[in-house]
């Protein structure tokens, strides 16, 4: 079990280091350009790695696949817009409330309302409603939008995974790239094709998409769902540490406490969801 656990932890480190490095490119090509490079290059890498056209699949419904890919693309657009305006750790903490909401929406047990309340406390502490926490409202709104897209991505992903299997992510990323690449070209112009920018974009695509998705595939096949949920719940804290190390983003004590509330809510919901499934 040590190898799949290490793979999942490494995927978390990889995706959040990728986010921190991506922020370095914002002054050159903007978040729109970085999103375009990440999705288009990640699509190429995932297609080359998984070769989904070689896998026998069931009947694929185009509608859910388009929704899945569009949710993935819009999620990337919105979270990079959030990264441009608010600290990465805070943006990720808000974003993970999307999958948390999916879990809580499908449960009716009393203890789930505890996790819901804890996540709401964390969100309230992060929202720009108090003078001591000067967060950009647009950045917060973008992170909330990314959370909604992540929830939609999960719901739609369940519908396409049965027929496409591991190829679902690759085909979904292709759709995301087709949606985001024109936006990136319009905003970044010729700077998008600079050799230095392209190499940096390839690094972001590797760290943020191709490598973590591949590592997660290894982990998901061997780990119980509760352990996966507990490990993934640490994403906001990992993101905040990565942003501090790479770009020097420093959070206040209250912001760390808010992130801790959301992490605890995510971990608790994953644990009790598994316990409910075993006893129900």
């Amino acid at each position: 079990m040590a190898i799949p656990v290490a793979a999942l932890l490494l995927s978390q480190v990889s995706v959040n280091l990728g986010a921190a490095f991506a922020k370095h490119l914002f002054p050159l090509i903007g978040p729109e350009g970085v999103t375009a490079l990440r999705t288009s290059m990640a699509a190429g890498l995932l297609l080359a790695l998984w070769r989904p056209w070689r896998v026998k699949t069931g009947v694929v419904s185009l509608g859910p696949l388009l929704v899945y890919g569009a949710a993935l693309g819009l999620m990337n657009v919105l979270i990079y817009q959030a990264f441009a305006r608010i600290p990465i750790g805070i943006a990720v903490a808000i974003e993970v409330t999307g999958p948390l909401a999916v879990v809580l929406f499908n449960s009716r047990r009393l203890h789930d309302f505890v996790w819901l309340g804890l996540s709401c406390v964390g969100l309230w502490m992060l929202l720009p409603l108090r003078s001591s926490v000067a967060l950009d409202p647009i950045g917060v709104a973008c992170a909330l939008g990314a959370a909604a897209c992540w929830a939609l991505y999960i719901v739609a992903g369940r519908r396409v995974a049965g027929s496409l299997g591991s190829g679902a992510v690759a085909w979904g990323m292709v759709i995301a790239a087709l949606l985001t690449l024109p936006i990136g070209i319009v905003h970044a112009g010729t700077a998008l094709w600079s050799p230095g920018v392209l190499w940096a974009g390839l690094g972001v695509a590797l760290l943020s998409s191709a490598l973590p998705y591949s590592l997660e595939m290894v982990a998901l096949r061997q780990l119980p769902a509760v352990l996966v949920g507990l490990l993934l719940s640490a994403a906001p804290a990992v993101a905040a540490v990565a942003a501090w190390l790479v770009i020097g983003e420093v959070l206040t004590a209250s912001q760390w406490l808010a992130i801790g509330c959301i992490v605890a809510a995510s971990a608790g919901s994953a644990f009790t969801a598994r316990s409910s499934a075993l006893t129900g």
Side-chain angles (χ1 to χ4, degrees):
M1 185 175 287
I3 292 177
V5 168
L8 196 58
L9 290 174
L10 184 57
S11 75
Q12 286 293 296
V13 173
S14 178
V15 72
N16 288 299
L17 282 176
F21 283 119
K23 198 161 182 174
H24 274 304
L25 292 175
F26 287 177
L28 299 176
I29 56 175
E32 300 86 0
V34 177
T35 303
L37 287 181
R38 173 184 173 178
T39 55
S40 57
M41 289 184 170
L45 290 169
L46 290 169
L47 287 174
L49 181 63
W50 293 106
R51 300 180 184 181
W53 57 86
R54 300 178 62 181
V55 180
K56 186 177 180 180
T57 63
V59 178
V60 181
S61 178
L62 184 59
L65 180 59
L66 289 175
V67 172
Y68 174 73
L72 179 59
L74 187 57
M75 180 174 65
N76 278 274
V77 169
L78 289 171
I79 196 59
Y80 275 4
Q81 290 289 339
F83 288 168
R85 294 172 170 84
I86 62 177
I88 290 175
I90 293 176
V92 173
I94 296 172
E95 186 188 28
V96 299
T97 60
L100 174 60
V102 173
V103 173
L104 295 177
F105 183 78
N106 289 284
S107 180
R108 297 293 185 272
R109 295 179 181 268
L110 179 61
H111 51 60
D112 291 316
F113 290 96
V114 175
W115 309 129
L116 176 61
L118 191 59
S119 66
C120 289
V121 168
L123 276 177
W124 177 81
M125 293 178 68
L126 291 176
L127 293 179
L129 302 176
R130 298 175 301 159
S131 58
S132 60
V133 184
L135 290 180
D136 186 317
I138 296 178
V140 172
C142 287
L144 288 170
C149 288
W150 196 348
L152 181 59
Y153 166 82
I154 292 171
V155 174
R158 288 173 178 169
R159 298 191 61 182
V160 300
S163 55
L164 293 176
S166 59
V169 173
W171 292 125
M173 192 64 76
V174 170
I175 295 171
L178 292 174
L179 291 174
T180 58
L181 186 57
I183 299 173
I185 293 174
V186 169
H187 281 82
T190 57
L192 197 65
W193 315 119
S194 167
V197 168
L198 288 175
W199 279 112
L202 179 60
V204 170
L206 279 168
L207 287 171
S208 297
S209 297
L211 180 58
Y213 290 158
S214 300
L215 288 170
E216 285 174 11
M217 289 295 293
V218 173
L220 291 174
R221 291 171 181 162
Q222 303 179 55
L223 294 177
V226 62
L227 185 54
V228 172
L230 290 172
L231 291 172
L232 291 179
S233 67
V238 175
V241 172
W244 171 63
L245 290 173
V246 176
I247 56 179
E249 284 188 348
V250 179
L251 303 182
T252 66
S254 65
Q255 289 170 338
W256 273 111
L257 180 59
I259 288 175
C261 288
I262 294 173
V263 167
S266 298
S269 66
F271 181 78
T272 53
R274 177 60 175 174
S275 300
S276 299
L278 291 175
T279 60

